[in-house]
Amino acid sequence: MSSAEYPQSINFSQAIKTVQQAASSMSLQLEWVDLSQALGRVLASSIVAPISIPEFDCSRMDGYAINFDHFNSINHGRMKLSSPVFAGINQSGCEQAELVATMATPVMTGALIPAGTDTVVMKEHAAVEGGELKIDQPVIKRQNIRQAGSDIKKGQVVLKKNHALSAGDLGLIASLGLAQIEVYSKPKVALLMTGDELVAPGQPCSKGQVYDSNSMMLSKLLEQMGCQVYLHNILLDDETLIDSQFKRFHDDDFDLVVTVGGVSMGDKDWLPFALASNGKVLFHKTHIKPGFPLLVGKLGQALFFGLPGNPVSAFTTLFQFVYPAVLCINQLSKQVPLVWRAELLQDYSKKHMKREFVRGHYNMTAAGGIEVVVCGGQQSSRVQSIAEANCLIVFNESQQDVKQGERVSIQPFSQLSYLGA
Ligand SMILES: Nc1nc2c(c(=O)[nH]1)N[C@H]1C(S)=C(S)[C@@H](COP(=O)(O)OP(=O)(O)OC[C@H]3O[C@@H](n4cnc5c(N)ncnc54)[C@H](O)[C@@H]3O)O[C@H]1N2
Ligand code: MOO
C-alpha cells in the first residue's frame, strides 16, 4: 500500500471519528471475576437483585418495638418489657405474637421486628420505671421501621450492563450476597518501543543513547485505563526485524497494538511501511501538536496505534486516541473524554492552525471555580512537563492568542484511571 492510498494529515475530528468507528466494531471476551477484583471493571450483564434489601422488616433505631394500636388502646400508658431482640437473631425464640403485642420489646438497630409489633420508639424517647416502659414523646404508627424491600426489591435491576464499577457499586453488589460477577475481559494491549538509541533504565547509557522513559509511562497509563499490558523488548530500527514482529502481531490475539517511535520522516522510520504491508493504514499524520506523525490502522484483529517517539507526543496521542478507543471497546463510548472549563491564568500564544494540547496544572478556587496554568516549556521531548501537569489544556485549531482570564477547555488526567483499580 503506498501512502497515496490512505488518508494523510487529516484533521483531529476526522482522526478521532476514524478511531472510534474502528473501535466500536470490536468486542471483548466475557469473564466471571470475584467482587474483590472487580473495581473499575465493566459489567457485561446487568445486576438483578436476587433478594430484597432489607429482606425483613427491621428496626432503624435502638429502642422499643410496640404495637401502635395497643398503645393507643391503653391511652399511651405503661407497658411491660419483653425480652430483647438483637440484630442477627431470629425472634422465633421470643414470646407469642399476641403477648408481644401488649408489651414493649427492646430492639437494636437492624434487629428483626418482633411479630405482633409495628412501631419502634427510640430509646431516648422512653424511660423504664419499675420494669415498665413509659413513652414520653408522640408516636407515629410504623415509625423507625425499615420495611422489607424498601431499599431494593427482589428482581429489580440495580446496575445496568456496560457500567464501570466503583467501590460503591461493589458494596451494593455485595449487599445482595453476590460474590462473583460477569465483566468484559481487560483489553489486551501489546506495547512495543522501537529505536536504536533506547536503553532501559538501570543500564549504562553511552553518548547518543537515551533512556527509555516511554515504556514505564505508557504501560502505567494503559494499566490505569484498565488494560492488560504485554510490554515487549525494545526493537531496533531494523526493517526486517520490524516486519517480522508485525507479522507475529498480525496472528496474535491482542485487542490493541501500540508501538512507539519510527513514524515520522527519518530514513529508519519503518513503521508506516510495515503496517501498510502487514495490515491496513487508516490514516497517517493528523493536525495536532504534539503528536502530528501519529499512525493508526488495523493489524490482524487488533487496532494499531503507532505513537510518535517523543515522550510528550506519545503521552498526548495515547490520551487523545488510545483512551477513547479503550472506552469504545469497553462499550463506554458515551463516557468521555471529560472536558471542564477553566480560567487561564496567563497569556498563551499559538502560532499554528493545529489543535494543540498543552500540559497544564489546574486548581479549584475557594469560590468553586477552576483555574489553570501552563507547565513550563512545551517541547515534545520534555517529560517534566507531564510530571508537573494534572491536565491537558485544549486549544482548538482556530485559537491563536489566548489572553489571561479567558476560559479554556481542560481534560483532567484523573479521568484516565476511570477503568483502573
Ligand atoms: N522532517 C521531519 N522530521 C520530523 C517531523 C516531521 O514532520 N518532519 N516530525 C517531528 C515530530 S512532530 C515528531 S513527534 C517526531 C516523531 O518521530 P518518530 O515517531 O519517528 O520517533 P523517533 O524518531 O523514533 O523518536 C523521536 C524522539 O523521541 C525519542 N524517543 C523515542 N522513543 C523513546 C522512548 N521510548 N523513550 C524516550 N525517548 C524516546 C527519540 O530518541 C527521539 O529523540 O519526529 C519529528 N521529526
Ligand atoms: O508533533 Mo511532535 O509530536 O511535536 O514532537
Side-chain angles (χ1 to χ4, degrees):
M1 196 191 231
S2 76
S3 58
E5 290 171 52
Y6 51 77
Q8 289 243 27
S9 303
I10 60 177
N11 65 34
F12 176 80
S13 322
Q14 289 171 292
I16 188 67
K17 213 163 139 194
T18 304
V19 167
Q20 281 172 329
Q21 261 170 9
S24 55
S25 64
M26 298 170 66
S27 56
L28 295 168
Q29 309 237 297
L30 312 185
E31 64 184 13
W32 285 85
V33 292
D34 287 346
L35 216 45
S36 62
Q37 301 304 309
L39 186 62
R41 302 297 294 271
V42 181
L43 275 178
S45 48
S46 298
I47 302 287
V48 179
I51 55 171
S52 291
I53 307 276
E55 274 198 280
F56 45 85
D57 286 0
C58 61
S59 180
R60 235 177 240 295
M61 297 288 173
D62 297 320
Y64 302 93
I66 61 168
N67 180 298
F68 183 81
D69 293 340
H70 171 75
F71 179 57
N72 264 349
S73 72
I74 58 168
N75 292 324
H76 301 186
R78 296 167 181 238
M79 281 176 284
K80 285 208 164 61
L81 287 176
S82 161
S83 44
V85 182
F86 293 89
I89 305 297
N90 191 329
Q91 73 178 120
S92 54
C94 298
E95 291 90 330
Q96 301 283 306
E98 305 84 63
L99 183 56
V100 169
T102 64
M103 302 172 83
T105 308
V107 283
M108 312 306 137
T109 306
L112 256 161
I113 294 298
T117 69
D118 55 18
T119 301
V120 170
V121 176
M122 278 172 71
K123 205 165 183 176
E124 299 86 323
H125 294 171
V128 177
E129 286 170 10
E132 290 189 327
L133 189 77
K134 179 173 163 282
I135 297 171
D136 47 23
Q137 293 277 333
V139 179
I140 298 167
K141 191 170 184 173
R142 298 204 66 76
Q143 72 181 24
N144 296 328
I145 290 190
R146 285 178 68 209
Q147 275 184 288
S150 56
D151 289 358
I152 294 171
K153 294 208 168 28
K154 183 177 175 176
Q156 187 183 327
V157 174
V158 293
L159 290 168
K160 290 200 180 137
K161 70 185 270 192
N162 302 341
H163 170 78
L165 294 163
S166 67
D169 294 328
L170 297 183
L172 175 62
I173 298 169
S175 76
L176 296 167
L178 300 172
Q180 292 201 319
I181 49 170
E182 194 177 35
V183 295
Y184 296 113
S185 298
K186 291 183 171 202
K188 289 174 70 179
V189 184
L191 181 59
L192 173 77
M193 304 298 128
T194 65
D196 294 341
E197 76 282 25
L198 300 178
V199 175
Q203 301 300 314
C205 195
S206 9
K207 195 165 180 184
Q209 295 186 310
V210 293
Y211 283 117
D212 166 22
S213 55
N214 281 331
S215 286
M216 182 59 67
M217 178 173 64
L218 302 182
S219 61
K220 294 302 152 196
L221 273 169
L222 285 161
E223 282 169 15
Q224 270 190 304
M225 293 177 195
C227 297
Q228 182 75 50
V229 183
Y230 298 83
L231 182 58
H232 291 63
N233 287 333
I234 298 166
L235 206 61
L236 296 175
D237 290 318
D238 178 284
E239 188 176 13
T240 315
L241 284 178
I242 291 174
D243 193 67
S244 1
Q245 180 60 64
F246 271 51
K247 285 193 169 40
R248 284 196 290 278
F249 280 148
H250 183 280
D251 299 332
D252 276 333
D253 65 345
F254 293 111
D255 298 296
L256 304 179
V257 170
V258 178
T259 64
V260 184
V263 292
S264 190
M265 299 298 288
D267 293 344
K268 285 183 165 188
D269 287 344
W270 301 118
L271 284 276
F273 304 103
L275 180 62
S277 62
N278 291 289
K280 182 173 190 262
V281 178
L282 293 175
F283 67 85
H284 185 200
K285 301 176 181 163
T286 174
H287 281 279
I288 59 171
K289 184 176 160 51
F292 173 70
L294 174 70
L295 174 70
V296 172
K298 287 289 289 184
L299 186 53
Q301 65 157 41
L303 188 52
F304 174 91
F305 293 92
L307 311 184
N310 273 317
V312 175
S313 317
F315 175 94
T316 306
T317 46
L318 192 88
F319 192 153
Q320 298 307 323
F321 294 95
V322 180
Y323 178 48
V326 168
L327 291 173
C328 262
I329 60 178
N330 272 297
Q331 312 301 322
L332 295 166
S333 52
K334 293 199 189 89
Q335 177 60 31
V336 261
L338 178 68
V339 176
W340 294 341
R341 299 288 286 170
E343 181 187 338
L344 186 64
L345 293 186
Q346 65 199 94
D347 294 347
Y348 191 79
S349 235
K350 172 170 155 295
K351 306 200 183 319
H352 54 81
M353 295 300 280
K354 292 178 181 157
R355 179 170 297 218
E356 183 164 355
F357 301 97
V358 170
R359 274 73 66 218
H361 197 285
Y362 72 84
N363 279 308
M364 300 289 180
T365 66
I370 309 175
E371 51 190 30
V372 66
V373 290
V374 171
C375 293
Q378 292 293 309
Q379 304 87 329
S380 46
S381 53
R382 195 171 161 260
V383 198
Q384 196 172 355
S385 68
I386 306 173
E388 287 168 356
N390 61 2
C391 67
L392 290 177
I393 309 172
V394 185
F395 294 113
N396 287 337
E397 290 73 357
S398 58
Q399 278 178 294
Q400 297 269 267
D401 289 318
V402 189
K403 294 283 170 222
Q404 177 183 352
E406 279 189 46
R407 297 190 74 70
V408 293
S409 296
I410 64 166
Q411 296 174 323
F413 292 170
S414 53
Q415 65 184 291
L416 297 175
S417 44
Y418 178 61
L419 293 175

